[in-house]
């Protein structure tokens, strides 16, 4: 498999149980792409840029991002990501327990591809506040590569 065909996923999540849940759900629906994990926005940026840690290569095809994290939260990370020409194009799906309209609006202003309310369960998508269309886009991004 060439580097262009590799589909890397970056999961930025500080909660261990949520991380395990995402990995389990992705595996359950048959996705076996490499998942890189960062515990906060600073760690994620370091992984993308190769600062003090090996650089994710190729760059992730998609980022799953929690909003509420220590050190650098999801919105701060997303702001920095969108300023970086090397990574500004990466689709980002926000995952959060927050139903706050201010969080949604801030995420939309930062050009997110979707908004997923945790706990993440792909079976219950149509019953949640998450965007089913956005989730279909997520699946297309990682399955078609």
């Amino acid at each position: 498999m060439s580097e262009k065909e590799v589909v890397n996923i970056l999961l930025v999540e500080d909660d261990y149980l949520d991380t395990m849940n995402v990995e389990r759900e992705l595996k359950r629906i048959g996705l076996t792409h490499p998942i890189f994990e960062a515990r906060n926005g600073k760690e994620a940026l370091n992984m993308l840029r190769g600062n003090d840690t090996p650089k994710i290569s190729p760059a992730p095809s998609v980022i799953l991002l929690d909003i509420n994290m220590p050190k650098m939260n999801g919105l701060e990370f997303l702001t920095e990501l969108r300023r970086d020409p090397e990574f500004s194009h990466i689709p980002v799906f926000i995952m959060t327990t927050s139903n706050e309209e201010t969080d949604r609006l801030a995420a939309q202003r930062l050009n997110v591809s979707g908004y997923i309310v945790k706990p993440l369960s792909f079976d219950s998508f149509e019953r949640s506040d998450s965007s089913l269309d956005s989730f279909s886009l997520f699946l297309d991004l990682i399955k078609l590569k």
Side-chain angles (χ1 to χ4, degrees), residues 44-131:
L45 285 173
N46 287 339
M47 292 170 73
L48 289 170
R49 295 173 175 158
N51 296 341
D52 301 324
T53 184
K55 184 175 183 172
I56 299 173
S57 182
S61 298
V62 65
I63 296 173
L64 296 172
L65 177 66
D66 184 24
I67 287 182
N68 298 313
M69 295 178 293
K71 295 185 183 177
M72 176 185 269
N73 72 36
L75 295 176
E76 292 166 335
F77 166 80
L78 194 50
T79 300
E80 189 70 24
L81 185 78
R82 293 301 184 225
R83 286 187 190 137
D84 191 321
E86 186 177 353
F87 306 113
S88 62
H89 69 284
I90 299 174
V92 175
F93 291 83
I94 297 284
M95 300 184 316
T96 186
T97 54
S98 172
N99 255 328
E100 292 294 320
E101 193 63 25
T102 53
D103 286 343
R104 282 183 192 266
L105 293 173
Q108 287 171 351
R109 280 193 298 276
L110 292 165
N111 195 26
V112 295
S113 298
Y115 198 93
I116 302 168
V117 177
K118 295 188 283 188
L120 186 64
S121 173
F122 298 141
D123 288 337
S124 62
F125 239 83
E126 53 281 332
R127 294 190 308 274
S128 73
D129 291 326
S130 305
S131 167

Side-chain angles (χ1 to χ4, degrees), residues 5 33 120:
E5 294 169 326
H33 303 297
L120 186 64

Side-chain angles (χ1 to χ4, degrees), residues 17-31:
L17 292 176
D18 284 338
T19 298
M20 285 180 41
N21 184 36
V22 169
E23 289 175 342
R24 182 178 56 247
E25 287 292 314
L26 291 175
K27 193 174 288 182
R28 193 178 61 73
I29 63 172
L31 298 178

Side-chain angles (χ1 to χ4, degrees), residues 122-142:
F122 298 141
D123 288 337
S124 62
F125 239 83
E126 53 281 332
R127 294 190 308 274
S128 73
D129 291 326
S130 305
S131 167
L132 188 57
D133 290 341
S134 294
F135 187 67
S136 295
L137 173 64
F138 167 74
L139 290 179
D140 289 346
L141 286 168
I142 58 178

